[in-house]
Amino acid sequence: MKTIYRACKKCRLLVDAKNCPIHPEEKTTTEWFGFIFVESPEESIIAKNSGLLTKGRYAIKVR
Ligand SMILES: [Zn+2]
């Protein structure tokens, strides 16, 4: 079975849990589009522009 990723509405991190590990109070959603994989946030311009500080998968758009 395919893993359905969910995105945090606050930081857009993609997880397979119902709550974000960084923002436990924030519910994740399946309503997201596209994703980027951030390997080294300090070297990635996209990550910097998007305010992504942690390595991981992020949704580009979250509803
Ligand atoms: Zn979050």
Side-chain angles (χ1 to χ4, degrees):
M1 212 181 106
K2 213 174 113 185
T3 308
I4 298 162
Y5 281 107
R6 308 173 64 95
C8 171
K9 285 181 187 173
K10 218 168 190 172
C11 65
R12 312 206 299 278
L13 179 71
L14 290 178
V15 289
D16 55 7
K18 288 205 168 147
N19 291 83
C20 174
I22 301 158
H23 312 101
E25 77 286 355
E26 204 68 35
K27 279 208 176 98
T28 53
T29 175
T30 51
E31 307 258 319
W32 57 270
F33 304 92
F35 75 85
I36 53 163
F37 182 70
V38 177
E39 187 111 40
S40 37
E42 55 286 334
E43 285 168 32
S44 169
I45 293 162
I46 303 164
K48 248 180 208 165
N49 287 348
S50 313
L52 310 176
L53 305 167
T54 325
K55 183 178 163 177
R57 272 170 230 244
Y58 291 89
I60 290 166
K61 262 191 183 175
V62 177
R63 252 191 215 168

Coordinates of all heavy atoms in Angstrom, one line a residue:
M1 N 0.8 -1.2 0.0 CA 0.0 0.0 0.0 C 0.9 1.3 0.0 O 1.9 1.3 0.7 CB -0.9 0.0 1.2 CG -2.3 0.6 0.9 SD -3.3 0.6 2.4 CE -3.1 2.3 2.9
K2 N 0.4 2.2 -0.8 CA 1.1 3.5 -0.9 C 0.9 4.3 0.4 O -0.2 4.4 0.9 CB 0.6 4.2 -2.1 CG 1.7 5.1 -2.8 CD 1.2 5.7 -4.0 CE 1.1 7.2 -3.9 NZ 0.4 7.8 -5.1
T3 N 2.0 4.9 0.9 CA 1.9 5.8 2.0 C 1.2 7.2 1.6 O 1.7 7.8 0.6 CB 3.2 6.1 2.6 OG1 3.9 4.9 2.9 CG2 3.1 6.9 3.9
I4 N 0.2 7.6 2.3 CA -0.4 8.9 2.0 C 0.2 9.9 2.9 O 0.1 9.8 4.1 CB -1.9 8.8 2.2 CG1 -2.5 7.8 1.2 CG2 -2.5 10.2 2.0 CD1 -3.9 7.4 1.5
Y5 N 0.9 10.8 2.3 CA 1.6 11.8 3.1 C 0.6 13.0 3.4 O -0.3 13.3 2.6 CB 2.8 12.4 2.3 CG 4.0 11.5 2.4 CD1 4.4 10.8 1.3 CD2 4.7 11.4 3.6 CE1 5.5 9.9 1.4 CE2 5.8 10.6 3.7 CZ 6.2 9.9 2.6 OH 7.3 9.0 2.7
R6 N 0.8 13.5 4.5 CA 0.0 14.6 5.0 C 0.9 15.8 5.3 O 2.1 15.6 5.6 CB -0.7 14.2 6.3 CG -1.5 12.9 6.2 CD -2.0 12.5 7.5 NE -3.0 13.5 8.0 CZ -4.3 13.3 7.8 NH1 -4.8 12.3 7.2 NH2 -5.2 14.3 8.2
A7 N 0.4 17.0 5.0 CA 1.3 18.2 5.2 C 0.8 19.0 6.3 O -0.4 19.2 6.6 CB 1.2 19.0 3.9
C8 N 1.8 19.6 7.1 CA 1.5 20.5 8.2 C 1.0 21.8 7.6 O 1.7 22.3 6.6 CB 2.7 20.7 9.0 SG 2.5 22.0 10.3
K9 N 0.0 22.4 8.1 CA -0.5 23.7 7.5 C 0.4 24.8 7.9 O 0.4 25.9 7.3 CB -1.9 24.0 8.1 CG -3.0 23.1 7.4 CD -4.3 23.4 7.9 CE -5.3 22.4 7.4 NZ -6.7 22.6 8.0
K10 N 1.2 24.7 8.9 CA 2.1 25.7 9.4 C 3.4 25.7 8.7 O 3.8 26.8 8.1 CB 2.3 25.6 10.9 CG 2.3 26.9 11.6 CD 2.2 26.7 13.1 CE 2.0 28.0 13.8 NZ 1.7 27.7 15.2
C11 N 4.1 24.6 8.7 CA 5.5 24.6 8.1 C 5.5 23.8 6.8 O 6.6 23.7 6.1 CB 6.5 24.0 9.1 SG 6.2 22.3 9.5
R12 N 4.4 23.1 6.4 CA 4.3 22.4 5.1 C 5.2 21.1 5.1 O 5.4 20.5 4.0 CB 4.6 23.3 3.9 CG 3.9 24.6 3.9 CD 3.7 25.2 2.6 NE 4.9 25.4 1.9 CZ 5.7 26.5 2.0 NH1 5.3 27.4 2.9 NH2 6.8 26.7 1.3
L13 N 5.6 20.7 6.2 CA 6.4 19.4 6.3 C 5.5 18.2 6.0 O 4.3 18.2 6.4 CB 7.0 19.3 7.7 CG 7.8 18.0 8.0 CD1 9.1 18.0 7.3 CD2 8.0 17.9 9.5
L14 N 6.0 17.3 5.2 CA 5.2 16.1 4.9 C 5.5 15.0 5.8 O 6.6 14.6 6.0 CB 5.5 15.7 3.4 CG 5.0 16.6 2.3 CD1 5.4 16.1 1.0 CD2 3.5 16.8 2.4
V15 N 4.5 14.5 6.4 CA 4.6 13.4 7.4 C 3.5 12.4 7.1 O 2.5 12.6 6.4 CB 4.5 13.9 8.9 CG1 5.7 14.7 9.3 CG2 3.2 14.7 9.1
D16 N 3.6 11.2 7.8 CA 2.5 10.2 7.6 C 1.6 10.2 8.9 O 0.9 9.3 9.1 CB 3.0 8.9 7.2 CG 4.0 8.3 8.2 OD1 4.3 9.0 9.2 OD2 4.6 7.3 7.9
A17 N 1.8 11.2 9.7 CA 1.0 11.3 11.0 C -0.1 12.4 10.9 O 0.0 13.2 10.0 CB 2.0 11.6 12.1
K18 N -1.0 12.3 11.8 CA -2.1 13.3 11.8 C -1.7 14.6 12.4 O -2.5 15.6 12.3 CB -3.3 12.7 12.5 CG -3.9 11.6 11.7 CD -5.4 11.4 12.0 CE -6.0 10.5 10.9 NZ -7.1 9.7 11.5
N19 N -0.6 14.7 13.1 CA -0.1 15.9 13.6 C 1.4 16.1 13.3 O 2.1 15.2 13.1 CB -0.2 15.9 15.2 CG -1.7 15.9 15.6 OD1 -2.3 14.9 15.6 ND2 -2.2 17.1 15.9
C20 N 1.8 17.4 13.1 CA 3.1 17.7 12.8 C 4.0 17.5 14.0 O 3.7 17.8 15.1 CB 3.2 19.2 12.4 SG 4.8 19.8 12.1
P21 N 5.2 16.9 13.8 CA 6.2 16.6 14.9 C 6.7 17.9 15.4 O 7.1 18.0 16.6 CB 7.3 15.8 14.3 CG 7.2 16.0 12.8 CD 5.7 16.3 12.5
I22 N 6.8 19.0 14.6 CA 7.3 20.3 15.1 C 6.2 21.1 15.7 O 6.5 21.8 16.7 CB 8.0 21.0 13.9 CG1 9.1 20.2 13.3 CG2 8.5 22.4 14.3 CD1 9.5 20.5 11.8
H23 N 5.0 21.0 15.2 CA 3.9 21.7 15.7 C 2.8 20.7 16.1 O 1.9 20.5 15.4 CB 3.3 22.7 14.7 CG 4.3 23.5 14.0 ND1 4.8 23.3 12.8 CD2 4.9 24.6 14.5 CE1 5.7 24.2 12.5 NE2 5.8 25.0 13.5
P24 N 2.9 20.1 17.3 CA 2.0 19.0 17.7 C 0.5 19.5 17.8 O -0.4 18.7 17.7 CB 2.5 18.6 19.1 CG 3.9 19.1 19.2 CD 3.9 20.4 18.3
E25 N 0.4 20.8 17.9 CA -1.0 21.3 18.0 C -1.6 21.5 16.6 O -2.8 21.7 16.5 CB -1.0 22.7 18.8 CG -0.5 23.9 18.0 CD 1.0 24.0 17.8 OE1 1.7 23.1 18.3 OE2 1.5 24.9 17.1
E26 N -0.8 21.4 15.6 CA -1.2 21.7 14.3 C -1.6 20.4 13.6 O -0.9 19.4 13.5 CB -0.1 22.3 13.5 CG -0.6 23.2 12.3 CD -1.4 24.4 12.7 OE1 -1.1 25.0 13.7 OE2 -2.3 24.7 11.9
K27 N -2.8 20.3 13.0 CA -3.3 19.1 12.3 C -2.7 19.1 10.9 O -2.7 20.2 10.3 CB -4.8 19.1 12.3 CG -5.4 18.5 13.5 CD -6.7 17.8 13.3 CE -7.3 17.2 14.6 NZ -8.3 18.1 15.2
T28 N -2.4 18.0 10.4 CA -1.9 17.9 9.0 C -3.0 17.6 8.1 O -4.1 17.2 8.5 CB -0.8 16.7 8.9 OG1 -1.4 15.5 9.4 CG2 0.4 17.0 9.7
T29 N -2.8 17.9 6.8 CA -3.9 17.7 5.8 C -3.4 17.0 4.6 O -2.2 17.0 4.3 CB -4.4 19.1 5.4 OG1 -5.4 19.0 4.4 CG2 -3.3 20.1 4.9
T30 N -4.3 16.3 3.9 CA -4.0 15.6 2.7 C -4.2 16.5 1.5 O -3.9 16.1 0.4 CB -4.8 14.3 2.5 OG1 -6.2 14.7 2.7 CG2 -4.5 13.3 3.6
E31 N -4.7 17.7 1.7 CA -4.9 18.7 0.7 C -3.7 19.5 0.3 O -3.6 20.7 0.7 CB -6.1 19.6 1.1 CG -7.3 18.9 1.5 CD -8.4 18.9 0.4 OE1 -8.6 20.0 -0.2 OE2 -9.0 17.9 0.3
W32 N -2.8 18.9 -0.3 CA -1.5 19.6 -0.7 C -1.1 19.2 -2.1 O -1.5 18.2 -2.6 CB -0.4 19.3 0.4 CG -0.1 17.9 0.5 CD1 -0.7 17.0 1.4 CD2 0.9 17.1 -0.2 NE1 -0.1 15.7 1.2 CE2 0.8 15.8 0.2 CE3 1.8 17.4 -1.3 CZ2 1.6 14.8 -0.3 CZ3 2.6 16.4 -1.8 CH2 2.5 15.1 -1.3
F33 N -0.3 20.1 -2.7 CA 0.2 19.8 -4.1 C 1.7 20.0 -4.2 O 2.2 21.0 -3.7 CB -0.5 20.8 -5.0 CG -2.0 20.8 -4.9 CD1 -2.7 21.6 -4.0 CD2 -2.7 19.9 -5.6 CE1 -4.0 21.6 -3.9 CE2 -4.1 19.8 -5.5 CZ -4.8 20.7 -4.6
G34 N 2.3 19.1 -4.9 CA 3.7 19.2 -5.2 C 4.6 19.1 -4.0 O 4.2 19.4 -2.9
F35 N 5.8 18.6 -4.1 CA 6.7 18.6 -3.0 C 8.1 18.8 -3.4 O 8.5 18.6 -4.5 CB 6.5 17.4 -2.1 CG 7.1 16.1 -2.7 CD1 8.5 15.8 -2.4 CD2 6.4 15.2 -3.4 CE1 9.1 14.7 -2.9 CE2 6.9 14.0 -3.9 CZ 8.3 13.8 -3.6
I36 N 8.9 19.3 -2.5 CA 10.3 19.5 -2.7 C 11.0 18.7 -1.6 O 10.5 18.6 -0.4 CB 10.8 21.0 -2.7 CG1 10.3 21.7 -1.4 CG2 10.3 21.7 -4.0 CD1 11.1 23.0 -1.2
F37 N 12.2 18.2 -1.9 CA 13.0 17.5 -0.9 C 14.1 18.4 -0.5 O 15.0 18.7 -1.4 CB 13.4 16.1 -1.4 CG 14.2 15.3 -0.4 CD1 13.6 14.8 0.7 CD2 15.6 15.2 -0.5 CE1 14.3 14.1 1.7 CE2 16.3 14.4 0.4 CZ 15.6 13.9 1.5
V38 N 14.2 18.8 0.7 CA 15.3 19.6 1.2 C 16.3 18.7 1.9 O 16.1 18.1 2.9 CB 14.7 20.7 2.2 CG1 15.9 21.5 2.7 CG2 13.7 21.6 1.5
E39 N 17.5 18.7 1.3 CA 18.6 17.9 1.8 C 19.5 18.7 2.8 O 19.8 18.2 3.9 CB 19.4 17.3 0.7 CG 20.5 16.3 1.1 CD 20.2 14.9 0.6 OE1 19.7 14.8 -0.5 OE2 20.4 14.0 1.4
S40 N 19.9 19.8 2.3 CA 20.7 20.7 3.2 C 20.1 22.1 3.2 O 20.3 22.9 2.3 CB 22.1 20.8 2.8 OG 22.2 20.7 1.4
P41 N 19.2 22.4 4.1 CA 18.5 23.7 4.2 C 19.4 24.9 4.1 O 19.0 25.9 3.5 CB 17.7 23.6 5.5 CG 17.7 22.2 5.9 CD 18.9 21.6 5.3
E42 N 20.6 24.8 4.7 CA 21.4 26.0 4.7 C 22.0 26.3 3.3 O 22.5 27.4 3.1 CB 22.5 25.9 5.8 CG 23.4 24.7 5.8 CD 22.7 23.4 6.3 OE1 21.8 23.5 7.1 OE2 23.1 22.3 5.8
E43 N 22.0 25.3 2.4 CA 22.6 25.5 1.1 C 21.5 25.7 0.0 O 21.8 26.1 -1.1 CB 23.4 24.3 0.7 CG 24.8 24.3 1.4 CD 25.5 22.9 1.3 OE1 25.3 22.3 0.2 OE2 26.1 22.5 2.2
S44 N 20.3 25.4 0.4 CA 19.2 25.5 -0.6 C 18.5 26.9 -0.6 O 18.1 27.4 0.4 CB 18.2 24.4 -0.4 OG 17.0 24.7 -1.2
I45 N 18.6 27.5 -1.8 CA 17.9 28.8 -2.0 C 16.4 28.7 -1.8 O 15.8 29.5 -1.2 CB 18.3 29.5 -3.3 CG1 19.8 29.8 -3.3 CG2 17.5 30.8 -3.6 CD1 20.4 30.0 -4.7
I46 N 15.9 27.6 -2.4 CA 14.4 27.4 -2.3 C 14.0 27.3 -0.8 O 13.0 27.9 -0.4 CB 14.0 26.2 -3.1 CG1 14.4 26.3 -4.6 CG2 12.5 25.9 -3.0 CD1 14.4 25.0 -5.3
A47 N 14.8 26.5 -0.1 CA 14.5 26.2 1.3 C 14.6 27.5 2.1 O 13.7 27.8 2.9 CB 15.5 25.2 1.9
K48 N 15.6 28.4 1.8 CA 15.7 29.6 2.5 C 14.6 30.6 2.2 O 14.0 31.2 3.1 CB 17.0 30.3 2.1 CG 18.0 30.3 3.2 CD 19.3 31.0 2.8 CE 20.5 30.4 3.6 NZ 21.8 30.7 3.0
N49 N 14.2 30.7 0.9 CA 13.1 31.5 0.5 C 11.8 31.1 1.1 O 10.9 31.9 1.3 CB 13.0 31.5 -1.0 CG 14.1 32.4 -1.7 OD1 14.8 33.1 -1.0 ND2 14.3 32.2 -3.0
S50 N 11.6 29.8 1.3 CA 10.4 29.3 1.9 C 10.4 29.2 3.4 O 9.4 28.8 4.0 CB 10.1 27.9 1.3 OG 10.3 27.9 -0.1
G51 N 11.6 29.5 4.0 CA 11.7 29.5 5.4 C 11.8 28.1 6.0 O 11.3 27.8 7.1
L52 N 12.3 27.2 5.2 CA 12.4 25.8 5.6 C 13.8 25.6 6.3 O 14.8 25.8 5.7 CB 12.3 24.8 4.4 CG 11.0 25.1 3.6 CD1 11.1 24.1 2.4 CD2 9.8 24.9 4.3
L53 N 13.8 25.1 7.5 CA 15.0 25.0 8.3 C 15.4 23.6 8.6 O 16.6 23.3 8.9 CB 14.9 25.8 9.6 CG 14.5 27.3 9.5 CD1 14.1 27.8 10.8 CD2 15.6 28.1 8.8
T54 N 14.5 22.7 8.4 CA 14.8 21.3 8.7 C 14.8 20.4 7.4 O 14.1 20.7 6.5 CB 13.7 20.7 9.6 OG1 13.3 21.8 10.5 CG2 14.3 19.6 10.5
K55 N 15.7 19.5 7.4 CA 15.8 18.5 6.3 C 14.5 17.7 6.2 O 14.0 17.3 7.2 CB 17.0 17.6 6.6 CG 17.3 16.6 5.5 CD 18.6 15.8 5.9 CE 18.7 14.6 5.1 NZ 19.9 13.8 5.4
G56 N 14.0 17.5 5.0 CA 12.8 16.7 4.9 C 12.1 17.0 3.6 O 12.5 17.8 2.7
R57 N 10.9 16.4 3.5 CA 10.0 16.7 2.4 C 9.0 17.7 2.7 O 8.4 17.7 3.8 CB 9.2 15.4 2.0 CG 9.9 14.5 1.1 CD 9.2 13.2 1.1 NE 10.1 12.1 1.3 CZ 10.3 11.1 0.4 NH1 9.7 11.1 -0.7 NH2 11.2 10.2 0.6
Y58 N 8.8 18.7 1.8 CA 7.8 19.7 2.1 C 6.8 19.9 0.9 O 7.2 19.7 -0.2 CB 8.5 21.1 2.3 CG 9.3 21.1 3.5 CD1 10.6 20.7 3.6 CD2 8.7 21.6 4.7 CE1 11.4 20.7 4.7 CE2 9.5 21.7 5.9 CZ 10.8 21.2 5.9 OH 11.5 21.3 7.0
A59 N 5.6 20.1 1.2 CA 4.6 20.4 0.2 C 4.8 21.8 -0.3 O 5.2 22.7 0.4 CB 3.2 20.3 0.8
I60 N 4.6 22.0 -1.6 CA 4.8 23.4 -2.2 C 3.5 24.2 -1.8 O 3.6 25.3 -1.5 CB 5.0 23.3 -3.7 CG1 6.4 22.7 -3.9 CG2 4.9 24.7 -4.3 CD1 6.7 22.2 -5.4
K61 N 2.4 23.6 -2.0 CA 1.1 24.3 -1.7 C 0.3 23.4 -0.7 O 0.1 22.3 -0.9 CB 0.3 24.5 -2.9 CG 0.5 25.9 -3.5 CD -0.5 26.2 -4.6 CE -0.3 27.5 -5.2 NZ -1.1 27.8 -6.3
V62 N -0.2 24.1 0.3 CA -1.1 23.4 1.3 C -2.4 24.2 1.4 O -2.4 25.4 1.5 CB -0.5 23.3 2.7 CG1 -1.5 22.7 3.7 CG2 0.8 22.5 2.6
R63 N -3.5 23.6 1.2 CA -4.8 24.2 1.3 C -5.2 24.5 2.7 O -5.1 23.7 3.6 CB -5.9 23.4 0.7 CG -6.3 23.9 -0.6 CD -7.5 23.2 -1.2 NE -7.4 23.2 -2.6 CZ -8.2 22.4 -3.4 NH1 -9.1 21.7 -2.8 NH2 -8.1 22.4 -4.6
Ligands
ZN1 ZN 4.6 22.0 11.3

